[in-house]
Amino acid sequence: MKTRIHVNQHHVKHNKKHGTDLPPITVKSYKKNIKCTEVAFTCGRVVYQPDKPLSCGATLWIETDQPVTILR
């Protein structure tokens, strides 16, 4: 099962500007999306495809076929 890990830059900027703690990481699998602040995995790759973004618009993400552990 392929899992993609995204960083929501809007949440990062909002947290910095307003002192909030919105979870900036989204772990996406075929089943669900989980928002968190920390994730661990053993093997993966960083993908940058500005000419072929994902359907959500992301051009940079982390992709892994290994199990992902949501820490926070």
Side-chain angles (χ1 to χ4, degrees):
M1 168 177 64
K2 188 178 291 187
T3 302
R4 291 186 175 133
I5 302 165
H6 295 251
V7 176
N8 185 326
Q9 65 180 338
H10 301 292
H11 283 194
V12 173
K13 290 175 185 177
H14 186 274
N15 288 343
K16 185 175 181 178
K17 183 176 181 179
H18 299 287
T20 56
D21 194 25
L22 297 174
I25 301 169
T26 304
V27 179
K28 298 182 177 201
S29 69
Y30 76 98
K31 283 186 172 181
K32 57 186 170 183
N33 295 340
I34 301 171
K35 294 183 179 185
C36 60
T37 57
E38 189 173 349
V39 63
F41 56 97
T42 56
C43 182
R45 64 188 188 133
V46 178
V47 180
Y48 177 58
Q49 292 182 345
D51 298 333
K52 189 178 175 188
L54 297 177
S55 60
C56 64
T59 58
L60 177 68
W61 63 90
I62 299 167
E63 197 170 87
T64 182
D65 291 324
Q66 302 299 314
V68 173
T69 304
I70 308 298
L71 300 173
R72 289 192 270 161

